[in-house]
Amino acid sequence: MTRRIAAASRALLVAATVALLATCATTQPIRTSLPAAEVAAAQARQLAREAALRGEPDWSLAGRIAVSNGRNGGSGRIDWQQVGPRYEVSLSAPVTRQSWRLAGDAAGARLEGIDGGPREGADAGELLRAATGWDIPVAALAEWVRGVRADGLGPAVVSYGADGRLARLAQGGWEIDYRWPDAAAGAASADAQALPARLDARRGDARVRLIVDAWNPGEP
């Protein structure tokens, strides 16, 4: 049964793997040694961003996701709706016309669309790992995807790019690299609530790459 579930899940994700992984090919963000005053300003902007975004807990996004565990990889379309602590994540592979849906909140999660029927569990990340083999930190990703440090994962190490924007976040054993929408120099300070265009999260062999095609901030 476990093998059938894993095979079905991999079939869902594998449809567009090569194309999306090529699109997401990682190049390390430029690391520039900013003067102390600029680092302090970047940190102040980041704290202001996080405070503002936490004040808007309802949002949604549409994009493309690619995951891998060192041996197997797959990809598909993703739609994520967040209303406070409650989330609903839908993933689909257009070629195979397969899809699954993960919904839940801090109390637990339910995964639908897998072989053997729906599954439920207290932790969304553990539920996905058991059903699909993928390591996706769902609760933390809901924060990281907006460029915000996750609560409950301990301290984070933050690096900033030459433009003063968040470039890398290391937390909970994960490293997340960010790319932002194209903007003129200095736009980071003018657009404190800008949202990332792409992130690449990794821990060991596990990797999650997400390209956001459309953000709907403040809209469930």
Side-chain angles (χ1 to χ4, degrees):
M1 176 66 72
T2 301
R3 290 183 179 178
R4 292 209 315 271
I5 292 173
S9 301
R10 285 194 294 270
L12 161 66
L13 291 170
V14 77
T17 303
V18 175
L20 184 54
L21 289 179
T23 302
C24 294
T26 301
T27 55
Q28 295 297 316
I30 296 174
R31 297 288 182 258
T32 302
S33 296
L34 297 175
E38 293 186 29
V39 171
Q43 290 174 338
R45 284 195 299 270
Q46 177 64 17
L47 290 173
R49 279 190 72 256
E50 293 185 0
L53 290 171
R54 287 195 173 106
E56 296 186 359
D58 300 347
W59 53 268
S60 65
L61 68 80
R64 292 159 283 162
I65 189 171
V67 297
S68 64
N69 61 5
R71 297 168 306 196
N72 301 303
S75 63
R77 297 288 310 177
I78 184 171
D79 290 281
W80 188 317
Q81 296 184 352
Q82 189 83 23
V83 181
R86 183 158 186 83
Y87 53 84
E88 182 175 319
V89 184
S90 299
L91 183 67
S92 62
V95 175
T96 62
R97 297 184 180 179
Q98 291 179 295
S99 63
W100 58 254
R101 173 180 173 271
L102 177 70
D105 53 26
R110 177 183 175 89
L111 180 63
E112 300 175 351
I114 59 175
D115 192 17
R119 280 188 164 192
E120 296 183 352
D123 183 270
E126 291 296 330
L127 181 63
L128 276 175
R129 188 178 298 109
T132 70
W134 306 120
D135 188 3
I136 303 176
V138 178
L141 195 59
E143 304 268 29
W144 291 340
V145 73
R146 295 199 297 170
V148 174
R149 284 167 283 197
D151 289 330
L153 279 186
V157 178
V158 178
S159 300
Y160 301 97
D163 59 358
R165 291 188 186 276
L166 176 65
R168 173 173 289 181
L169 172 63
Q171 189 178 24
W174 288 84
E175 287 190 347
I176 306 97
D177 283 339
Y178 289 91
R179 297 299 171 85
W180 298 83
D182 292 337
S189 59
D191 189 2
Q193 289 182 256
L195 294 167
R198 187 180 110 188
L199 64 83
D200 185 334
R202 59 193 178 279
R203 180 175 68 177
D205 290 335
R207 178 162 292 187
V208 181
R209 293 169 176 171
L210 178 61
I211 295 175
V212 180
D213 294 321
W215 277 107
N216 289 303
E219 180 178 322

